[in-house]
Amino acid sequence: MKRILVLGAGGQIGTELVPHLQNLYGKDNVIGADLKDALVEKLRENGIGEKVDATDAQAVADLVKKYKADAIFNLVALLSATGEKNPQLAWNINMGALLNSLNIAKEFGCAVFTPSSIGAFGNSTPHDMTPQDTIMRPSTIYGVCKVTGELLSDYYFTRFGVDTRSVRFPGIISNGQLPGGGTTDYAVEVFYEIIKPGHHYTCEVPHDSYMDMMYMPDALNAVTQLMEADPSRLKHRNSFNIASMSFTPEILFDAIKKRIPDATFDYNVDPVKAAIADSWPNMMDDSCAREEWDWCPKWGMDAVIDDMLAACRRKAGME
Ligand code: AKB
């Protein structure tokens, strides 16, 4: 990879992936593209920013040609909870952006990274130590898009030789840009809320729902490590389970309370999020990623809590 086009660059992952890529490949070799003007402006403050609708194949192809990109990182997605409000729109956006990326990559010889998710699994998947290769029958349109995306990406590799690679991301905890519309969002929101006067957070996910989570620095390393991995070692491509920690809201909140003793928590459970959380793995088995490209996360829950609280306080001008 020498020159990378990042689609959906202004979102939760893109906001931190773009600088990570700039550090590795140089500012001139990372093109951040997004649909929203304000996000494009932000991208332009620190590098190359382009406005693009990723569902417009010609517009994406023009960017690949203009910058001679040799890799497309497609981060465009409507997440799980939002997707349930408008399944047709979720399908159009999630699959439209991916199909365009794959077809353009095929035409111009680019590699493609697209994140999959724990959302690709469903109720009939084994929930504990969820295997790499297992039953995948998700109950959300987001999950249907993720499974379809994994199959399509493998198809473009075997049929057309497009270098497609992907990871199944857990909920990602970060402090650059807030996530939006996901089921795992509570694990980010709580840090922003709990430092405010009153120190209270109301959670929409049931207290005992285990889900895989990951801190952004590990997620970023996963992307670049996989994309740089020796292809001869890869038995899988789309998509690898990656895991680093798993907890319930109750476990996370108890650990936050140890740091902020007057913090209080309650629950106003959203039935859609509850059903989604219930259908997802408790913890994935990521041994294939460890064997095939040396995946090795560094962050655990306690270190993440300390780092998130410090970062959110800094952002709020409290430190
Ligand atoms: C969501 O909650 O929808 C996402 C995901 C786990 O893919 N954060």
Side-chain angles (χ1 to χ4, degrees):
M1 287 188 307
K2 291 189 185 69
R3 203 162 248 204
I4 303 159
L5 171 64
V6 183
L7 300 173
Q12 185 199 9
I13 299 176
T15 299
E16 298 193 44
L17 183 60
V18 166
H20 177 75
L21 294 172
Q22 287 172 334
N23 284 340
L24 292 173
Y25 303 100
K27 273 201 175 177
D28 294 343
N29 293 320
V30 182
I31 302 96
D34 206 283
L35 180 61
K36 293 191 184 133
D37 289 315
L39 299 177
V40 176
E41 278 315 308
K42 247 182 159 179
L43 289 163
R44 285 186 183 149
E45 283 166 20
N46 288 305
I48 305 172
E50 290 276 1
K51 181 179 164 97
V52 78
D53 175 355
T55 63
D56 178 343
Q58 191 56 54
V60 177
D62 287 346
L63 283 183
V64 168
K65 271 190 273 183
K66 178 175 171 186
Y67 289 101
K68 297 188 172 56
D70 63 1
I72 303 172
F73 287 18
N74 166 41
L75 308 178
V76 174
L78 237 61
L79 297 186
S80 54
T82 305
E84 291 313 292
K85 292 188 185 134
N86 194 339
Q88 180 66 59
L89 183 68
W91 175 266
N92 292 349
I93 291 177
N94 296 5
M95 297 318 300
L98 175 59
L99 259 175
N100 286 344
S101 302
L102 291 170
N103 283 326
I104 293 161
K106 177 179 154 225
E107 190 179 341
F108 294 97
C110 305
V112 178
F113 172 81
T114 305
S116 186
S117 159
I118 50 174
F121 297 113
N123 282 310
S124 49
T125 303
H127 275 33
D128 293 315
M129 290 308 280
T130 301
Q132 170 68 38
D133 301 307
T134 186
I135 301 163
M136 299 182 78
R137 301 200 51 91
S139 53
T140 62
I141 189 67
Y142 177 69
V144 170
C145 292
K146 289 302 183 195
V147 175
T148 312
E150 290 191 15
L151 293 172
L152 264 177
S153 300
D154 270 345
Y155 177 75
Y156 271 67
F157 171 63
T158 48
R159 178 85 169 78
F160 304 120
V162 179
D163 184 0
T164 55
R165 306 182 190 192
S166 169
V167 292
R168 293 180 185 132
F169 273 138
I172 294 177
I173 302 171
S174 67
N175 49 64
Q177 171 91 336
L178 279 168
T183 305
T184 57
D185 292 4
Y186 85 87
V188 179
E189 287 163 2
V190 63
F191 292 101
Y192 284 81
E193 292 303 315
I194 213 68
I195 58 164
K196 291 181 183 166
H199 304 300
H200 183 73
Y201 180 66
T202 300
C203 183
E204 292 185 333
V205 170
H207 69 101
D208 56 353
S209 285
Y210 271 98
M211 284 186 279
D212 278 291
M213 298 284 175
M214 181 171 292
Y215 203 31
M216 184 63 94
D218 278 333
L220 301 179
N221 284 334
V223 176
T224 43
Q225 212 181 321
L226 173 60
M227 292 310 283
E228 292 291 358
D230 175 355
S232 68
R233 287 182 63 197
L234 300 182
K235 297 191 191 88
H236 298 85
R237 277 179 171 266
N238 303 284
S239 179
F240 283 93
N241 285 0
I242 53 169
S244 62
M245 65 189 108
S246 171
F247 50 73
T248 63
E250 195 165 51
I251 292 171
L252 177 67
F253 300 163
D254 283 350
I256 292 175
K257 210 171 160 52
K258 287 199 181 116
R259 279 109 172 144
I260 306 176
D262 54 347
T264 54
F265 303 90
D266 64 5
Y267 295 85
N268 180 17
V269 170
D270 173 345
V272 174
K273 288 189 181 175
I276 295 174
D278 209 37
S279 74
W280 287 357
N282 297 334
M283 175 110 197
M284 292 185 286
D285 173 1
D286 61 0
S287 48
C288 290
R290 289 174 187 267
E291 276 159 32
E292 293 175 39
W293 48 277
D294 307 320
W295 160 243
C296 184
K298 295 186 176 64
W299 288 82
M301 188 186 76
D302 282 301
V304 171
I305 294 172
D306 291 333
D307 206 58
M308 279 296 288
L309 288 174
C312 289
R313 285 182 176 127
R314 266 195 313 276
K315 281 186 96 167
M318 295 160 79
E319 277 177 6

